[in-house]
Amino acid sequence: MTTSDTISANDIGARGAYLVVINGAGAPITVTVSDSSLTPVGNPATTTASSVTNATSKTFYISPAAVNLTTNVVTVAFSSATSVTYQLFPLG
């Protein structure tokens, strides 16, 4: 794992997926999931970093709308990759 990974649209599927981030590090990390969707009036969606406390896990929903149509992936950025793992659970 690196501080920036990509998830293929094929892995996310038509119904989205849950990304479970497990922070085994001694400090909190931030996770940012790219969002290439648009608001109802056509503005780019806002991407917000979310904190995962050390020695805990947090689940993120990744919508199919978040997929960048040019690259066909969603990018997930981590503030640190040390002792951090994740699992992806497609919804079907």
Side-chain angles (χ1 to χ4, degrees):
M1 187 178 128
T2 65
T3 56
S4 181
D5 282 343
T6 57
I7 302 170
S8 165
N10 291 334
D11 292 333
I12 294 169
R15 295 180 53 208
Y18 286 114
L19 177 74
V20 179
V21 177
I22 302 116
N23 181 6
I29 62 162
T30 57
V31 178
T32 306
V33 179
S34 67
D35 188 348
S36 296
S37 65
L38 300 174
T39 67
V41 294
N43 296 319
T46 303
T47 301
T48 305
S50 184
S51 181
V52 181
T53 306
N54 50 304
T56 66
S57 61
K58 188 169 187 176
T59 302
F60 299 85
Y61 172 72
I62 301 178
S63 168
V67 173
N68 181 316
L69 298 178
T70 302
T71 62
N72 211 35
V73 299
V74 170
T75 302
V76 182
F78 304 90
S79 60
S80 174
T82 304
S83 299
V84 176
T85 58
Y86 64 83
Q87 295 176 302
L88 184 71
F89 297 96
L91 297 177

